[in-house]
Amino acid sequence: MSPRCLVFILLWYPAALGAQSVGESCRAPQMDGGFLVPEQETYLHESSLTYACMDGWKPAVDGWWATSVCLNASWSHRPQCIDESCCLPPMIPNGKYTESSEGWYKEGWVLEIKCDEGYQHTTQEATTTCRNGAWSSLPVCERSGNSCTVPPKISHAVIILQKYQEIFAADSEVRFECEEGYGVQGPDTKKSIFCSAGAWSEAPKCSKSQVQDVGHDEDTSGGVTKPVDPNRGRGRGTHTGGSTVTETGSATTSDKTDSSSTPLMVTVDNCGAYPRMPNGDVVRKSPMFIKYACNAFYKRVGPDTVVCYNDGTWSEVPTCKEAFCEVDLDEYANYHIKESGTIILKERETRDVPCVWRNWISRIRCTKGKISVSRCCHYLDYYSQLCH
């Protein structure tokens, strides 16, 4: 069979080309080489359709069948069938490649994989080829021997990063900030460390600054002392000689609400007990972050990684939102469904249940927390409008 890799374009009408309003319906896609359920001319906003492809073809997404949702006159993904010899985008951990605008790749297509910073190919092979619907041996990106892991702990200092990362490429420079009341002494006052040949350079030490009697700082310009701002260096700690020494040895900065400064990250043991996340739990622990995941039938809302700030507070903690439907089959006794009792479906899950007649089934769907139950229909006719 010669590869044809044809794309089946959505059939749009002139009316759909104008300005779209919120909740606008979708036109039915033209499914040459496939069929869809339910088969209608238009679909309401947030309604869904399911489609499958004929022999020799497959959906342009994972699985032998797929579901698409109408969202303001556009489908959540374009329903289309492609030749079985075409390939879907591969998963390359710690690597990237040029993405196809079509969402799939033709037979014989060659992808060049580039590893992320700090990673390298395990072999000299950096390409993969689409052959008969599957990719040839996929390149693997592993940590480079010249890269560095998390920087070592620096006494009385914190690392300044916008976000946490575990691997740093060779020649990376990372800045740090000394705790209030401490500073870098000597001729080299640059507060940075560098990744070289897989190891971090030695960091300059943060030494305690000299202070005068309690309540005053030394004025080196003329030997006159100045009153100490009582709000300087506010944080978790005790006052010693007018400066603030934190209980954890971590740096303090201006108040977290000060828009001119960004809170600094410190090790998670500075924030005490881990935050609770109902219907979820901690799945990974690290000195600099904790990672959460939701239980089955729940969907995470918010970031999965939580860090500790130098003022003793946690970053945003995610929540777990219900992502399931509970169906009492006894309420659908007049549908002639054979089973009884309660079943639970995950969000976007579809389940076929047997009816009292042989080879007849009913289809139950869970979409955005709402259920839809079809009347019993013979499985051979299930994809016709009689089974909606």
Side-chain angles (χ1 to χ4, degrees), residues 215-228:
H216 293 81
D217 278 342
E218 181 180 7
D219 184 352
T220 58
S221 62
V224 181
T225 58
K226 299 178 181 179
V228 176

Side-chain angles (χ1 to χ4, degrees), residues 24-42:
E24 188 173 352
S25 300
C26 295
R27 293 288 186 179
Q30 182 176 338
M31 290 299 299
D32 293 338
F35 51 92
L36 52 86
V37 178
E39 188 175 352
Q40 303 169 182
E41 292 185 359
T42 59

Side-chain angles (χ1 to χ4, degrees), residues 9-29 41-49 68-79:
I9 308 297
L10 289 178
L11 182 60
W12 293 103
Y13 290 85
L17 298 178
Q20 296 178 356
S21 59
V22 175
E24 188 173 352
S25 300
C26 295
R27 293 288 186 179
E41 292 185 359
T42 59
Y43 297 80
L44 296 178
H45 172 63
E46 295 188 344
S47 63
S48 62
L49 61 79
S68 185
V69 180
C70 173
L71 299 172
N72 291 328
S74 298
W75 293 102
S76 58
H77 80 268
R78 184 173 60 183

Side-chain angles (χ1 to χ4, degrees), residues 212-258:
Q212 292 282 50
D213 293 337
V214 175
H216 293 81
D217 278 342
E218 181 180 7
D219 184 352
T220 58
S221 62
V224 181
T225 58
K226 299 178 181 179
V228 176
D229 182 357
N231 292 320
R232 191 185 67 181
R234 294 178 61 187
R236 299 198 312 163
T238 57
H239 292 280
T240 305
S243 63
T244 301
V245 180
T246 62
E247 297 171 347
T248 60
S250 303
T252 59
T253 60
S254 58
D255 191 277
K256 186 179 174 184
T257 59
D258 184 357

Side-chain angles (χ1 to χ4, degrees), residues 161-283:
L161 289 174
Q162 291 299 319
K163 63 179 182 178
Y164 181 81
Q165 65 185 81
E166 295 180 312
I167 300 298
F168 296 78
D171 301 325
S172 293
E173 177 183 2
V174 174
R175 294 184 60 248
F176 66 91
E177 194 69 42
C178 292
E179 177 184 350
E180 184 74 24
Y182 288 75
V184 174
Q185 308 297 325
D188 184 8
T189 59
K190 187 176 181 64
K191 293 183 286 188
S192 296
I193 55 176
F194 300 87
C195 173
S196 177
W200 290 102
S201 61
E202 183 177 357
K205 294 182 180 180
C206 291
S207 302
K208 191 171 184 180
S209 302
Q210 295 182 352
V211 295
Q212 292 282 50
D213 293 337
V214 175
H216 293 81
D217 278 342
E218 181 180 7
D219 184 352
T220 58
S221 62
V224 181
T225 58
K226 299 178 181 179
V228 176
D229 182 357
N231 292 320
R232 191 185 67 181
R234 294 178 61 187
R236 299 198 312 163
T238 57
H239 292 280
T240 305
S243 63
T244 301
V245 180
T246 62
E247 297 171 347
T248 60
S250 303
T252 59
T253 60
S254 58
D255 191 277
K256 186 179 174 184
T257 59
D258 184 357
S259 59
S260 64
S261 63
T262 302
L264 302 179
M265 293 187 301
V266 295
T267 55
V268 296
D269 55 6
N270 287 286
C271 282
Y274 296 159
R276 291 187 64 257
M277 188 175 73
N279 301 309
D281 204 350
V282 175
V283 294

